Amino acid sequence: MDDFAGTQAPRCRLIDPAESVAELERVLPGLVAHRLPTPVHIDWLRLEGLLGTALPADYKLLCERYPAFELSDFMLVGGPRPGAEAGWVQDAHEELEIVAE
């Protein structure tokens, strides 16, 4: 299985965050109906400082435009709520500790 996965390459690489989110909306047309009427402001500088790492710009844009959502009972996509960045980081650290155990 590793050989099969290793042979796949993206047809194109999106580097612009807005273009990446637009492509996700294109392939998941039902997603657009859930877009927030007004993007939320998340304190990314604080959050990334608490995490000790930067987060991808397209992920940040997605979190600002959409509430948490689940794809096909497979993957949960979500981020911090405005004003709750520190709690989100704490929860993430706790989940990582559980995985490590």
Side-chain angles (χ1 to χ4, degrees):
M1 185 57 109
D2 288 338
D3 290 336
F4 177 72
T7 62
Q8 297 179 18
R11 287 183 283 154
C12 67
R13 187 167 306 277
L14 301 174
I15 57 174
D16 176 60
E19 187 179 351
S20 297
V21 172
E23 179 65 9
L24 183 64
E25 292 170 338
R26 186 188 70 75
V27 299
L28 299 171
L31 183 64
V32 176
H34 301 283
R35 186 187 297 167
L36 298 170
T38 305
V40 296
H41 173 74
I42 298 168
D43 189 346
W44 294 110
L45 288 176
R46 179 169 186 237
L47 189 135
E48 291 172 331
L50 292 167
L51 284 173
T53 191
L55 294 169
D58 53 351
Y59 170 74
K60 294 190 281 190
L61 183 60
L62 190 66
C63 290
E64 292 169 354
R65 290 187 178 176
Y66 286 94
F69 60 92
E70 189 173 303
L71 297 173
S72 300
D73 296 325
F74 172 71
M75 180 183 350
L76 178 64
V77 179
R81 291 184 326 275
E85 294 86 354
W88 187 82
V89 170
Q90 180 61 38
D91 290 345
H93 283 297
E94 289 172 6
E95 289 176 19
L96 289 173
E97 287 174 6
I98 291 168
V99 170
E101 289 176 3

